Amino acid sequence: QVIHNSASPTVDVYIDGVLSVEGFAYRTATPVLDLGTDFTVGIAPAGGSVIADFPFSLEDGGEYVVVATGILDNDVTPFNLAATSTMFGATDGNVGLNVYHGSTDAPSVDVLADGGVLVSDLMYGEFSGFVEVAAADYTIGIAPTGGASIADFTAPLSGLGGESAVVFASGFLTPGESDPGFGLFAALEDGSVLELPTYVGSTSVQVIHNSASPTVDVYIDGVLSVEGFAYRTATPVLDLGTDF
């Protein structure tokens, strides 16, 4: 399976000189492909000529993921194809995961699942290796190695029992004006790519009106939520997010 995680340019992918993936866009993936063990991948700007060739020599019967990563014309994190052996599918009731750190300006990170460390000290350009987790919904946290989570995402894996996904960090922690921001994405075996939504927490809030006399309307995030809220009255306990 090939995943495009090199920020922004749409490319054409050639295998042994034959156009195999046309108009391959950033943050998309191929389905799992059946290839020989020795081949050359050529990368070209969409509609253009090949500008880089990457030879591969893999094991017969192996399963691999290849990620286009890095930044074109950048000496620190140059464009490259990162590859690792993996497994597609999982045992019943589990989901197979392989995590790739593809955010060029992010430090080494721990990947947390519901607060526990799933992958530790993952550097840019590294894969976690294949692991299986129970098919359930998780809150995935990204933390500087040894630190607390700085970004949390919802991973709805409960419907993927027996399947697998490559989860890849993408974009920039501190993006420039035209740069894509940081996110987590999951490439499934059929080539579909899911953006993991930012985790939205919940809080329980009660509002009491104790400012003498005026009856008011209360808006939450621009929506009329309490109409005609009178002095010395209160709302029931409300379920809200953490930022409003």
Side-chain angles (χ1 to χ4, degrees), residues 98-119:
N98 205 332
V99 182
Y100 178 73
H101 184 336
S103 178
T104 53
D105 67 339
S108 298
V109 298
D110 294 335
V111 180
L112 313 178
D114 290 345
V117 177
L118 177 65
V119 179

Side-chain angles (χ1 to χ4, degrees), residues 71-161:
I71 304 171
L72 287 173
D73 301 320
N74 183 288
D75 293 332
V76 179
T77 53
F79 178 85
N80 193 20
L81 295 187
T84 191
S85 61
T86 192
M87 294 177 63
F88 297 112
T91 55
D92 288 344
N94 290 332
V95 179
L97 296 178
N98 205 332
V99 182
Y100 178 73
H101 184 336
S103 178
T104 53
D105 67 339
S108 298
V109 298
D110 294 335
V111 180
L112 313 178
D114 290 345
V117 177
L118 177 65
V119 179
S120 63
D121 198 22
L122 192 66
M123 297 177 61
Y124 166 71
E126 289 185 338
F127 291 90
S128 67
F130 181 84
V131 296
E132 288 192 4
V133 299
D137 296 336
Y138 296 91
T139 298
I140 300 296
I142 303 297
T145 298
S149 178
I150 59 173
D152 294 302
F153 302 85
T154 298
L157 305 182
S158 56
L160 295 179

Side-chain angles (χ1 to χ4, degrees), residues 3-31:
I3 298 169
H4 185 342
N5 194 40
S6 175
S8 298
T10 297
V11 299
D12 294 334
V13 179
Y14 289 78
I15 297 177
D16 289 337
V18 176
L19 179 59
S20 301
V21 187
E22 188 173 9
F24 194 28
Y26 179 49
R27 292 174 172 168
T28 64
T30 68

